[in-house]
Amino acid sequence: MVPMHELGIASSILESVQKEAVRHPGAHISKVGVKIGELAGVDRDALQFGFEVLVKDTELEPLALELELIPRVQRCSKCAYEFRMTDFDPRCPLCGDLATQCISGEELDIAYMEIDDS
Ligand SMILES: [Zn+2]
């Protein structure tokens, strides 16, 4: 069983691949790279598995999915220092300020597609 959440994400990735495939008649999209933020709440194994299930026996096969994990990064609003947040401690390691903002880690975007037009 693939969790519904991951299955929905896998199917929306496939929708984008299909749209792109229409723009490149005669070519085959062989790989799609997706950026997943640490905070996006996605189980990468489940997503990978759900993706394989959906691609199997379709005209999109073979199609690989490459997931890139984007770590959570905070930026200090006082000194503009950017740091990787760990242990749920948002404090700026440079100046100790607590007013830091999350600037990455929530993404769920298609980064690239590899098109094989031979
Ligand atoms: Zn700071």
Side-chain angles (χ1 to χ4, degrees):
M1 273 300 286
V2 181
M4 281 309 290
H5 180 56
E6 277 73 15
L7 205 55
I9 295 164
S11 91
S12 70
I13 294 168
L14 275 176
E15 247 169 63
S16 306
V17 171
Q18 261 156 347
K19 268 185 211 153
E20 191 64 24
V22 169
R23 294 172 50 200
H24 301 273
H28 182 82
I29 295 173
S30 54
K31 198 187 212 178
V32 54
V34 176
K35 288 185 180 179
I36 293 186
E38 207 169 49
L39 300 172
V42 176
D43 179 331
R44 285 182 293 158
D45 289 340
L47 178 57
Q48 193 69 253
F49 180 69
F51 188 83
E52 276 167 36
V53 169
L54 292 177
V55 167
K56 201 170 160 37
D57 299 326
T58 69
E59 75 275 12
L60 293 172
E61 208 180 8
L63 174 63
L65 173 66
E66 189 163 288
L67 301 176
E68 189 193 337
L69 186 67
I70 308 295
R72 175 169 191 176
V73 175
Q74 300 279 122
R75 181 191 282 136
C76 177
S77 34
K78 208 169 173 186
C79 71
Y81 183 67
E82 289 174 13
F83 60 99
R84 168 110 197 248
M85 180 173 154
T86 50
D87 301 332
F88 300 98
D89 181 9
R91 213 174 328 190
C92 174
L94 217 59
C95 71
D97 202 87
L98 269 167
T100 60
Q101 282 176 328
C102 179
I103 56 165
S104 90
E106 286 168 328
E107 42 279 272
L108 187 57
D109 304 314
I110 291 182
Y112 66 89
M113 291 188 204
E114 261 176 39
I115 297 168
D116 179 6
D117 51 10
S118 57

